[in-house]
Amino acid sequence: MPGPPRASGSAPPGAPGTSATADGSGPGAANAAGVVRAAAGVAVVAMAAGLVAGCASEPPKGETGRDAAASPSATAPARRPKGPPGTLPREGEVGRIAQPGPLPPVISSIPTKRKVVFLTIDDGWEQDPGFVKQVRDGRIPITAFAMRDAVEAKGTPDPAGGPGRYVGAGKWGYFRSLKDAGVPVENHTLTHPNLRLLGYDAQRREICGSSQVIKKELGVRPTLFRPPFGNYNTDTLRAAKSCGLTSVLLWTATVQPGGKIAYQVPDKKLRPGDILLLHFRPNLSRDFRILVNKIKRRGFELGNLQAYLDAATAR
């Protein structure tokens, strides 16, 4: 290890110009001692500076240099993507949906050639927490059509799929969790009647009453309506409009227990723009995972329904 640096402007002991005596006394000895003390002081300063520099370059205890370099990004919280979940329409991609005068349009598919489909889910009986986690963590776009009696577990659940484990488990709190996960909650009536058998006033009570409950519980008023069983008439459209609903949504395929797709088209396959209908049934999280994987394996994207509707119905 090299010796400490010499003091600037000082001569080492014994160098020309010093006059130390043999016994170490005299002016030369004093000068020599001063030189030694100065050199020692410089050495202490240099060593301290080296220690400070060394500490600054050392990684924290328990980390290698590589770990220390990576630690800022490794410990930073993961950033969740912003904006609505799902595929959004490209400019000029979506065709226009004809609107029958002043009444809301009835829509069963989105006019696009892009390989994109749309997920919707009805009623609200089986309130599986695993489903909420999938939707939230995967940012999977899906639109829920809530029926009051199902959400509040009044009456008999849909028997398809077998006995449920989570019927009414969270009620409106469950739907608040869905809303917080990015799921729009829309109107599916109060009690799920066959609307064709009801007059205008009774239909309006079912539809407007549902919108009022959803607004009260979730803080957002629905804009979309799905008639139970897909049954509607002109009075339904008139009532829906009077309740502030802008579109009536049907479907082109239903999803059965086990994630199986039941098609309503002759070629029995997914088509661009299809709207799929699920229900809050037992084994929902399992069946939903199967369905999403199946759709992706077939090369389809999952679209944001509201964004595509906006593009298709813009005047």
Side-chain angles (χ1 to χ4, degrees):
M1 180 173 180
R6 296 172 182 147
S8 176
S10 301
T18 65
S19 54
T21 62
D23 63 0
S25 62
N31 289 341
V35 170
V36 171
R37 286 193 297 271
V42 171
V44 170
V45 171
M47 290 174 67
L51 287 172
V52 171
C55 290
S57 61
E58 285 182 357
K61 288 185 178 181
E63 289 185 339
T64 64
R66 181 181 300 173
D67 292 337
S71 61
S73 59
T75 58
R79 292 184 178 179
R80 294 184 66 83
K82 295 182 179 179
T87 297
L88 301 177
R90 303 184 183 108
E91 185 176 355
E93 171 197 338
V94 185
R96 295 298 174 88
I97 293 176
Q99 301 195 43
L103 297 179
V106 179
I107 301 167
S108 57
S109 64
I110 301 295
T112 178
K113 296 180 180 179
R114 187 176 181 179
K115 291 187 71 175
V116 58
V117 296
F118 306 91
L119 301 180
T120 64
I121 185 166
D122 283 11
D123 299 339
W125 292 106
E126 183 74 359
Q127 296 165 13
D128 185 340
F131 172 67
V132 179
K133 186 177 188 303
Q134 284 184 64
V135 170
R136 181 185 62 242
D137 294 352
R139 284 178 55 81
I140 300 173
I142 188 166
T143 301
F145 289 86
M147 189 262 285
R148 183 202 61 188
D149 281 6
V151 176
E152 299 177 4
K154 298 177 179 179
T156 303
D158 179 357
R165 294 177 56 197
Y166 302 104
V167 174
K171 297 185 171 58
W172 287 108
Y174 182 80
F175 278 80
R176 279 190 284 275
S177 297
L178 282 173
K179 174 178 169 289
D180 292 343
V183 178
V185 179
E186 305 292 352
N187 188 321
H188 195 44
T189 72
L190 294 170
T191 66
H192 209 267
N194 182 347
L195 294 175
R196 287 181 183 169
L197 303 180
L198 302 181
Y200 172 79
D201 290 339
Q203 290 197 44
R204 191 174 185 279
R205 284 193 295 272
E206 281 281 343
I207 298 170
C208 290
S210 176
S211 288
Q212 290 165 4
V213 170
I214 293 171
K215 175 65 168 66
K216 174 187 173 184
E217 296 291 344
L218 305 183
V220 179
R221 195 171 185 87
T223 60
L224 306 179
F225 176 62
R226 172 164 282 159
F229 315 106
N231 291 341
Y232 69 95
N233 56 24
T234 302
D235 281 344
T236 310
L237 303 183
R238 289 174 54 224
K241 181 183 179 182
S242 74
C243 299
L245 299 163
T246 59
S247 298
V248 174
L249 266 290
L250 301 181
W251 56 90
T252 50
T254 60
V255 180
Q256 305 302 316
K260 298 177 182 178
I261 302 175
Y263 301 97
Q264 296 179 345
V265 290
D267 53 5
K268 304 298 180 184
K269 65 180 183 180
L270 285 177
R271 297 178 175 184
D274 275 351
I275 297 175
L276 277 64
L277 165 62
L278 300 87
H279 288 87
F280 287 91
R281 287 174 174 160
N283 302 308
L284 175 59
S285 60
R286 181 202 66 186
D287 292 353
F288 188 66
R289 185 179 300 107
I290 293 171
L291 174 69
V292 169
N293 289 337
K294 182 183 297 184
I295 290 170
K296 291 181 177 180
R297 282 199 308 270
R298 295 180 183 180
F300 282 82
E301 300 174 277
L302 298 172
N304 183 286
L305 179 60
Q306 187 60 61
Y308 271 82
L309 284 173
D310 290 345
T313 58
R315 293 185 182 274

